[in-house]
Amino acid sequence: MRKMRSVLCLLVLCCSVAFVAAQRSSNVTSKWQTLSGDAPKVIARGGFSGLLPDSSFNAYMLAQAISSADWVAWCDVQLTKDGVGICFPDIKLNNASDIDTLYPNRNNNYSVNGIPQTGWFSIDFSIKDLAPVSLKQGVYSRSPRFDGTPQQILTVQDVATQVKPPGLWLNIQHDSFYSQHNLSMRSFVVSLSRSVIANYISSPEVNFLRSIASRLNPRVTKRVFRFLNEDDVEPSTSQTYGSLVKNLTFVKTFAAGILVPKHYIWPTDSSLYLQPHTSVVSDAHKEGLEIYAADFVNDVPFAYNYSYDPVAEYLSFIDNGEFSVDGVLSDFPMSPSASVDCFSHLGANDKPQVTLQIIAPQGASGDYPGCTDLAYTKAASDGADIIGCPVQMTKDGIPFCLSSINLIDTTTAAQSPFSDISTTVPELQITDGILTINLNWSDIQTLKPVISTRYSDFRLSRNPKARNDGKFMSLADFLTFSKTANVSGIMISIENAAYLAKQGLGVTDAVMDALSTAGYNNQTARKVMIQSNDSSVLEEFKKSSYELVYLVDDNISDIKNSTILEIKTFAKSVVITKKSVFPSEDAFIIGQTNIVQKLQSANLPVYVRLFDNEFISQAWDFFSDSSTEINNYVLGAGVDGLVTEYPGTAARYRRNRCLAYKNLPPYMSPVQPGSLLGLMTVQSMPPVEPPSPVLDVSDVTEPPLPPVAKINPSNDDGSTARAPTTPPNGQSSVVASILMSSVAVLVAIFMVY
């Protein structure tokens, strides 16, 4: 246990405030729709099991450090063969511990609720046998790097006396199984109650809850009936849980509350979209039953309606205007703690608590195809300050908004009649692409947009129902829209200007003309930002009053003072990557640079990109929570703005009430960079990666843009685009039709996937 205690000091570093001294806060400003009227409880399943091994000392202590003041520690109770109660997430020990390595020949076969199972069961081991066993991460999609740190299996008494959580919840899942092997959960619970206060005891078995009723003080310990899936059969009554949930009057005779899977409250259809909520919460409250919702995790896909934002999901259960559950069971207790205290009962017009610019470079491109009317409309309604238009050029010289010059990236071009127009352009690192400059604007308008598939390798789709929704917008249309939209400004992004000039297309002139025509060149009501990673582009706009933004595409570890001085000659602000602020290795933060402070000291505001809600986009240090990640860049690094595909998440963060507290609660305090590394053995640490380069003057200086070439008009009437015999400044892609058909099929498969 001394090893465990020595790790505790490292755990505390995960927050900028030590847990012993952290000021917990309670939200007393709003009336909760719980049964008691109190704020919902945060129940940490096995501690902070979303990151650390379930039911480990470290997991419980991390939950203690960064959860709400009255959090409840959840313990799944298993019994050893000598009748000792241990906290372990499953009746089989091999999935979440190394017991199979220590005792390779002691696996066994048992029937559990009528289902044959093979594994290492607690009933075959004494507590002494389990002493050398170490816990490990049982969810394979989560990081195994904490497994090398020895973490003993804890008894229930260990959790109560060493962790000392404000509340303790014992879940008795398999009473009938243990009874079959001459072990009594009832005797264990009754004996435990003489020395340990269990605030909640849950079970999916009616008879067990009835058996302990006379031996426990209901004012001290609440009995909670746990519902399993609707089709599962409760062994005591032989009724399905789906039928029992319709008879809560009966449940009230032996329980004070119910614990249900979250889909009992907010069901989803087969496509993972929310259906109307059920009446189970109001039904439970009418019977005088508290109701708790289970199965909350941040790192698996949940209903698309939540846009991969865990806080949005929690709020739909605790603050939807119609009901509130009495508590949530979560693997990530930091998120519901912040949801209850910081984000609940916020209004769209609540005053921002921090100064933070929210930039949506393609609109709300996490919810709709980027650069479409729908994406821009949602971004404006979600609270974006700046909406952006990455400008591309058509064959007939029309500037329009699209994230890439390659239409295959963001449109249905690969499945269109233009699929035989393919070109390879080494200068742009494009192979077999369909370029915007090879189609007229009228041709492009016949295509459909495609929502971003940024994380498709991880099977994380974005709003599939809206995959091809929305209309493309010309730059002129975008400027007209933005004048009436509820935004404070626009950002025009320009790329590939030198290449386009060689093809006879002057993108900088087109942008200037469009801004002038729309009246943006002589107004101050809305900010105009011109962004480029090419200093020569920004030089073209130096005589304007626009905010010129230099985009540093690559991750950097530092920036020279001479480079900052050079940037100031052509830009007024800078955009850098997330890893240029918090460098990471294998998605673990290893430190923090001083780049933000250096640029700000030179009066250059710093915006950071790119923020997404998908948990795979965030370092482990941010607990698979987009709001936690934002908080660390705002409070921990002091950035001036965020470039995000989900502006609604950032806008809600900016309004959260915890930012106004005199003392920040632990769940709203920035993490200490590198602290998680202290929980790993040297052998388990991520491999050291080469440091990112230092940004030098030579990296930011570019030759002037070439003059726009004069290109002879094509002989066709321009009504239909055709593949050029020799693609401009590229390699010929005219190949046998059978080969091109194969390529088109492969591309189509990719786009569908």
Side-chain angles (χ1 to χ4, degrees):
M1 186 55 66
R2 275 183 296 183
K3 287 184 179 178
M4 295 183 186
R5 292 186 187 282
S6 67
V7 174
L8 175 57
C9 62
L10 295 171
L11 272 168
V12 174
L13 293 178
C14 290
C15 293
S16 62
V17 227
F19 77 89
V20 244
Q23 174 172 328
R24 264 51 171 197
S25 54
S26 58
N27 180 8
V28 295
T29 61
S30 301
K31 175 67 175 177
W32 288 98
Q33 293 175 292
T34 55
L35 184 64
S36 66
D38 296 331
K41 292 288 186 184
V42 173
I43 308 148
R45 196 188 67 80
F48 210 119
S49 55
L51 182 69
L52 301 171
D54 193 310
S55 305
S56 66
F57 181 76
N58 284 358
Y60 283 120
M61 292 311 296
L62 182 57
Q64 177 88 302
I66 56 180
S67 299
S68 56
D70 58 349
W71 75 286
V72 179
W74 169 281
C75 166
D76 281 296
V77 182
Q78 316 299 337
L79 291 179
T80 65
K81 71 177 181 181
D82 47 349
V84 177
I86 60 172
C87 294
F88 199 86
D90 190 71
I91 195 169
K92 294 191 296 183
L93 304 180
N94 47 294
N95 186 47
S97 79
D98 62 358
I99 195 168
D100 53 337
T101 302
L102 289 174
Y103 301 107
N105 300 317
R106 293 184 63 176
N107 58 316
N108 215 329
N109 302 305
Y110 291 110
S111 175
V112 181
N113 294 335
I115 301 174
Q117 296 194 32
T118 300
W120 283 254
F121 291 80
S122 62
I123 61 173
D124 294 325
F125 299 88
S126 68
I127 190 64
K128 184 177 180 180
D129 294 332
L130 297 180
V133 175
S134 186
L135 297 167
K136 66 179 184 181
Q137 180 56 257
V139 179
Y140 297 139
S141 60
R142 294 171 180 170
S143 176
R145 295 198 176 277
F146 304 104
D147 293 353
T149 303
Q151 289 284 279
Q152 293 175 316
I153 293 176
L154 301 179
T155 66
V156 177
Q157 286 90 341
D158 288 336
V159 175
T161 60
Q162 295 171 19
V163 179
K164 298 179 180 178
L168 180 61
W169 187 308
L170 304 182
N171 181 55
I172 312 299
Q173 195 75 7
H174 300 288
D175 172 60
S176 57
F177 171 81
Y178 289 107
S179 296
Q180 293 167 12
H181 297 277
N182 299 316
L183 291 167
S184 173
M185 275 290 185
R186 178 183 181 278
S187 297
F188 167 75
V189 168
V190 172
S191 176
L192 179 76
S193 66
R194 300 187 185 105
S195 59
V196 171
I197 294 177
N199 305 87
Y200 303 86
I201 293 180
S202 61
S203 175
E205 300 180 19
V206 172
N207 280 352
F208 173 75
L209 292 176
R210 281 175 166 165
S211 72
I212 63 173
S214 63
R215 303 302 300 272
L216 299 177
N217 185 343
R219 290 190 294 271
V220 175
T221 303
K222 295 179 181 179
R223 287 170 293 143
V224 179
F225 182 51
R226 184 177 191 182
F227 283 79
L228 304 182
N229 286 327
E230 289 92 336
D231 294 334
D232 291 339
V233 176
E234 193 282 318
S236 309
T237 62
S238 298
Q239 297 184 52
T240 64
Y241 291 97
S243 61
L244 286 171
V245 79
K246 298 174 183 177
N247 190 4
L248 295 181
T249 301
F250 167 68
V251 174
K252 178 64 176 174
T253 64
F254 60 86
I258 61 175
L259 172 66
V260 300
K262 62 185 181 182
H263 72 263
Y264 272 52
I265 300 170
W266 282 104
T268 58
D269 61 19
S270 59
S271 300
L272 214 58
Y273 283 89
L274 287 179
Q275 299 298 290
H277 66 76
T278 68
S279 62
V280 66
V281 176
S282 58
D283 292 345
H285 285 170
K286 286 177 184 176
E287 293 293 341
L289 289 166
E290 293 183 331
I291 179 168
Y292 301 88
D295 302 338
F296 288 92
V297 291
N298 292 4
D299 57 350
V300 297
F302 33 91
Y304 289 116
N305 308 68
Y306 301 127
S307 301
Y308 292 100
D309 178 4
V311 172
E313 182 181 35
Y314 287 115
L315 291 177
S316 75
F317 284 83
I318 66 173
D319 182 27
N320 58 46
E322 296 185 47
F323 61 80
S324 172
V325 297
D326 298 278
V328 293
L329 175 62
S330 173
D331 290 16
F332 295 83
M334 185 178 188
S335 298
S337 296
S339 299
V340 170
D341 188 23
C342 306
F343 295 109
S344 62
H345 307 119
L346 292 181
N349 296 321
D350 284 2
K351 179 182 177 182
Q353 302 296 331
V354 290
T355 302
L356 178 68
Q357 195 93 314
I358 299 172
I359 303 171
Q362 303 173 49
S365 49
D367 295 303
Y368 291 101
C371 300
T372 61
D373 56 338
L374 295 179
Y376 289 130
T377 299
K378 189 170 195 322
S381 65
D382 281 352
D385 300 305
I386 307 293
I387 55 175
C389 173
V391 175
Q392 309 300 335
M393 298 294 291
T394 67
K395 180 180 179 180
D396 48 349
I398 304 297
F400 73 107
C401 305
L402 199 67
S403 63
S404 173
I405 192 175
N406 186 357
L407 290 165
I408 289 178
D409 293 340
T410 53
T411 76
T412 57
Q415 296 85 40
S416 74
F418 309 115
S419 60
D420 60 344
I421 299 177
S422 179
T423 186
T424 293
V425 187
E427 184 178 345
L428 302 181
Q429 292 84 49
I430 293 176
T431 302
D432 291 330
I434 302 175
L435 303 189
T436 63
I437 61 173
N438 288 337
L439 295 178
N440 293 327
W441 177 232
S442 59
D443 299 321
I444 290 173
Q445 289 177 296
T446 66
L447 304 175
K448 291 183 178 180
V450 173
I451 201 166
S452 170
T453 55
R454 188 181 302 277
Y455 304 105
S456 60
D457 288 349
F458 301 92
R459 299 187 181 276
L460 299 180
S461 302
R462 289 178 168 177
N463 196 8
K465 286 187 176 179
R467 186 174 188 270
N468 301 119
D469 289 355
K471 297 179 181 179
F472 298 116
M473 297 185 76
S474 68
L475 178 56
D477 292 337
F478 170 80
L479 295 176
T480 299
F481 168 84
S482 61
K483 277 194 167 184
T484 58
N486 186 28
V487 295
S488 59
I490 58 173
M491 182 168 74
I492 308 298
S493 300
I494 300 174
E495 59 179 11
N496 307 320
Y499 174 81
L500 292 172
K502 296 172 188 176
Q503 316 312 316
L505 295 167
V507 62
T508 57
D509 289 339
V511 169
M512 289 181 188
D513 291 344
L515 287 170
S516 177
T517 300
Y520 270 96
N521 62 328
N522 56 8
Q523 58 84 49
T524 58
R526 279 177 168 75
K527 178 188 287 190
V528 177
M529 306 169 76
I530 306 293
Q531 175 187 268
S532 182
N533 60 359
D534 188 338
S535 59
S536 60
V537 169
L538 300 181
E539 291 282 357
E540 296 287 313
F541 290 87
K542 282 184 67 173
K543 293 182 181 179
S544 72
S545 60
Y546 308 142
E547 179 178 336
L548 307 184
V549 185
Y550 183 61
L551 170 63
V552 182
D553 273 325
D554 298 324
N555 300 323
I556 57 175
S557 61
D558 201 355
I559 182 170
K560 294 182 177 179
N561 291 332
S562 56
T563 308
I564 295 176
L565 292 175
E566 178 64 24
I567 290 174
K568 290 197 67 170
T569 65
F570 59 79
K572 299 177 183 178
S573 57
V574 180
V575 172
I576 60 177
T577 65
K578 292 192 297 186
K579 289 186 72 171
S580 297
V581 181
F582 291 112
S584 63
E585 292 174 350
D586 194 29
F588 285 98
I589 301 297
I590 60 173
Q592 181 175 349
T593 71
N594 64 351
I595 294 172
V596 173
Q597 290 69 34
K598 280 179 134 181
L599 290 167
Q600 289 174 337
S601 295
N603 294 319
L604 288 170
V606 180
Y607 312 120
V608 178
R609 65 182 296 270
L610 181 67
F611 287 83
D612 287 324
N613 284 356
E614 287 89 347
F615 53 88
I616 200 66
S617 71
Q618 300 142 20
W620 293 107
D621 305 64
F622 304 139
F623 310 122
S624 302
D625 186 328
S626 47
S627 296
T628 300
E629 181 184 42
I630 290 172
N631 186 59
N632 279 268
Y633 281 87
V634 176
L635 298 188
V639 303
D640 297 286
L642 308 176
V643 182
T644 175
E645 297 192 276
Y646 293 93
T649 303
R652 187 194 58 219
Y653 163 80
R654 188 170 55 181
R655 301 193 310 273
N656 91 76
R657 68 173 61 82
C658 290
L659 296 176
Y661 292 166
K662 183 177 180 180
N663 295 301
L664 288 173
Y667 35 82
M668 195 51 62
S669 301
V671 301
Q672 183 66 35
S675 60
L676 290 185
L677 300 179
L679 300 178
M680 306 174 192
T681 62
V682 174
Q683 295 81 5
S684 300
M685 287 188 178
V688 177
E689 300 175 4
S692 298
V694 176
L695 196 66
D696 203 346
V697 173
S698 60
D699 298 317
V700 304
T701 54
E702 304 283 350
L705 292 178
V708 177
K710 294 184 178 180
I711 305 296
N712 292 328
S714 63
N715 294 326
D716 67 304
D717 61 7
S719 60
T720 304
R722 290 176 173 80
T725 303
T726 303
N729 203 27
Q731 301 173 358
S732 175
S733 62
V734 178
V735 295
S737 60
I738 187 170
L739 175 60
M740 284 308 301
S741 298
S742 300
V743 170
V745 169
L746 288 173
V747 170
I749 292 173
F750 173 78
M751 293 302 292
V752 170
Y753 178 79

